[in-house]
Amino acid sequence: MAVYRQVYITFWQDEFILELTPEEKYFYLYLMTNSKTSQCGIYQLPIKVMEMELGYNRDTIIKLIERLSNTERLHMMNQLKKWLWLIG
């Protein structure tokens, strides 16, 4: 696993990102750069870890996941909400 994630400077002008709320942008950037990420975009990240690292409560995280899932840029891989598939 890499210990460094590069974010392109054009991230903020991306058409998808421009449509997000500030909270969704922060959450999506976190999903792209957290310590559990992988190059293929599929990784295990329990909600409990997100709570501790982001300072959000469980309900807020679940709502953010649901909102991003509606964009087809994020999918939960199982019912326990521990595996993520981050697309693009």
Side-chain angles (χ1 to χ4, degrees):
M1 175 186 331
V3 295
Y4 175 78
R5 292 283 179 239
Q6 187 172 10
V7 178
Y8 289 101
I9 59 172
T10 57
F11 172 83
W12 300 108
Q13 288 83 36
D14 182 90
E15 206 171 300
F16 168 71
I17 299 301
L18 288 171
E19 298 296 320
L20 299 178
T21 67
E23 189 173 51
E24 291 167 339
K25 289 176 187 179
Y26 170 64
F27 186 65
Y28 192 73
L29 186 59
Y30 166 75
L31 292 176
M32 290 174 51
T33 60
N34 72 77
S35 64
K36 304 291 186 183
T37 60
S38 67
Q39 285 187 328
C40 70
I42 299 172
Y43 55 92
Q44 186 177 14
L45 182 61
I47 289 176
K48 188 67 175 170
V49 172
M50 289 187 256
E51 286 178 272
M52 291 186 308
E53 291 184 343
L54 292 169
Y56 287 159
N57 63 42
R58 182 177 190 81
D59 292 336
T60 300
I61 290 171
I62 290 171
K63 286 177 187 174
L64 286 165
I65 288 170
E66 288 171 354
R67 291 195 323 233
L68 289 176
S69 292
N70 290 335
T71 67
E72 297 190 13
R73 286 284 191 110
L74 174 70
H75 297 285
M76 296 305 296
M77 299 296 288
N78 68 6
Q79 297 297 345
L80 298 176
K81 296 190 184 322
K82 290 186 180 179
W83 284 88
L84 295 171
W85 180 17
L86 192 63
I87 302 168

